[in-house]
Amino acid sequence: MNYVFVYGTLRRGERNHYLLKNAKLLYEQAWTFGQLFDTPYHFPVLYESPNNKIYGELYEITEDELKLLDRLEGFEEGKENNYYERKIKTIFTDQGCFDAYVYIDTKRHIEVSKEILNGDWKVYQLEQSRPEYIDYFAYGSCMDHERFQKHGVDHYFQNVKGTGILNGYSLRFSLPTSDAGKADIVEDKVGIVEGIVYQIPFEATHYLYRREGVAIGLYRPAVITVEINGRNIENVLTFIVIDKKEETPPSCLYAKEIFRGAKGYLSEGYIKSLQQHVKQLQLASKK
């Protein structure tokens, strides 16, 4: 059994993903350590580094699929001047660690143009393209229009495309802060997270990045696929906690914002299950 971690043009929606069309996607929010760079040829290269997190997808592949990837990456077993070396690295997911193949430019001989500081090729491309409008999936307090009004940014969030369904994730409160736990999405392959999908002007991302504490490492932007009325919507922006901890119950005010924003958009069954989860966390914290 072979595992491979892909971080660039082999990811879903990218131009070389067809090589993995029959491979089993294990996790789409996987990460490892490294340093990611763009190139003049519009594909990224990965250098080894112990300090930065690089995000991508983890697949289970066959020997034939591995040979196809080797050919794409210019790797040949035993050859000295490969474009990339195929190495085994530890890959981290929300459900544990895997040892997987990763293609790395160990000799640093591929020309690079700039470092991708957020470590995510898909987010980097979204930021570089600067489209006039993007889709944004809110699943926590960012569903609360009253809070947008208080911050004077409600004009950014007028266009609601619908209720988004994110399959394979669960909503958890895995970011402890000084005023209790904050919402997060955790990839568990079995859960469902409901949220509101907004179409927002690209300039609104500046507000969202500040609100989510991206610069100080609380949340990271991510590009996901959500379902609206049975149709998949790709390249949707959301935010995910970077350093997940054991769940902490949310404050009463924070929970109020979530449920106030959810009303009229999310299903009654989902809201009830989330309310029950919050109640269980609160009871457990008092023991």
Side-chain angles (χ1 to χ4, degrees):
M1 184 181 301
N2 297 310
Y3 298 127
V4 65
F5 172 79
V6 298
Y7 53 85
T9 64
L10 287 163
R11 293 177 66 178
R12 291 197 302 174
E14 296 294 314
R15 67 178 184 268
N16 288 316
H17 181 70
Y18 70 94
L19 294 173
L20 292 172
K21 64 181 180 180
N22 295 319
K24 182 179 180 180
L25 173 62
L26 298 178
Y27 294 97
E28 62 181 4
Q29 301 300 335
W31 63 272
T32 190
F33 288 104
Q35 195 173 13
L36 198 62
F37 289 86
D38 193 7
T39 69
Y41 320 106
H42 198 57
F43 62 79
V45 297
L46 178 64
Y47 293 169
E48 292 198 89
S49 170
N51 301 319
N52 304 318
K53 289 183 177 180
I54 304 303
Y55 299 96
E57 299 161 4
L58 181 66
Y59 289 86
E60 181 181 316
I61 59 173
T62 64
E63 286 292 335
D64 287 341
E65 288 166 333
L66 182 60
K67 291 176 183 177
L68 291 174
L69 299 186
D70 283 348
R71 191 175 306 143
L72 173 72
E73 306 291 8
F75 172 78
E76 186 177 330
E77 198 87 49
K79 186 178 176 181
E80 290 188 3
N81 294 316
N82 290 316
Y83 279 102
Y84 292 88
E85 293 300 324
R86 172 162 46 83
K87 303 191 71 173
I88 293 178
K89 288 179 64 69
T90 300
I91 309 301
F92 303 87
T93 75
D94 289 345
Q95 305 304 318
C97 302
F98 295 77
D99 289 332
Y101 290 126
V102 184
Y103 292 91
I104 304 172
D105 181 8
T106 57
K107 296 184 175 64
R108 304 194 177 195
H109 58 199
I110 298 175
E111 181 184 359
V112 299
S113 54
K114 65 185 299 187
E115 185 176 0
I116 302 174
L117 296 174
N118 59 31
D120 190 318
W121 171 246
K122 296 186 79 168
V123 172
Y124 169 77
Q125 290 184 99
L126 180 65
E127 294 173 343
Q128 292 296 300
S129 65
R130 299 184 63 85
E132 185 176 2
Y133 294 96
I134 62 171
D135 293 331
Y136 162 59
F137 178 72
Y139 56 86
S141 64
C142 277
M143 296 186 293
D144 182 23
H145 196 74
E146 186 172 314
R147 188 167 171 187
F148 288 145
Q149 290 175 321
K150 289 179 180 178
H151 290 179
V153 295
D154 54 300
H155 58 287
Y156 288 142
F157 301 93
Q158 295 295 322
N159 188 355
V160 176
K161 296 188 72 171
T163 300
I165 307 296
L166 180 61
N167 293 298
Y169 293 76
S170 293
L171 191 148
R172 296 291 181 256
F173 297 90
S174 55
L175 177 63
T177 66
S178 59
D179 62 342
K182 296 296 187 291
D184 181 24
I185 53 175
V186 175
E187 189 176 15
D188 57 12
K189 312 305 291 183
V190 295
I192 292 176
V193 177
E194 293 187 17
I196 299 175
V197 178
Y198 299 91
Q199 185 181 69
I200 62 173
F202 184 78
E203 64 188 73
T205 60
H206 299 301
Y207 163 75
L208 290 171
Y209 275 45
R210 289 196 305 271
R211 175 166 172 167
E212 304 295 356
V214 172
I216 58 175
L218 298 182
Y219 288 82
R220 66 177 176 90
V223 175
I224 59 171
T225 298
V226 300
E227 183 182 308
I228 301 179
N229 297 325
R231 183 168 66 94
N232 283 339
I233 308 296
E234 298 180 344
N235 296 319
V236 179
L237 178 70
T238 196
F239 294 87
I240 301 175
V241 170
I242 294 176
D243 188 13
K244 301 176 191 294
K245 302 294 186 182
E246 185 176 347
E247 281 196 276
T248 303
S251 68
C252 292
L253 174 60
Y254 186 72
K256 180 181 179 180
E257 290 175 338
I258 292 175
F259 294 121
R260 184 169 58 201
K263 187 176 181 181
Y265 291 102
L266 310 193
S267 67
E268 290 186 9
Y270 178 81
I271 292 174
K272 287 180 180 179
S273 67
L274 187 55
Q275 288 173 331
Q276 184 62 33
H277 182 67
V278 170
K279 184 179 294 186
Q280 290 172 347
L281 289 176
Q282 291 170 338
L283 290 174
S285 69
K286 294 177 182 178
K287 292 181 179 179

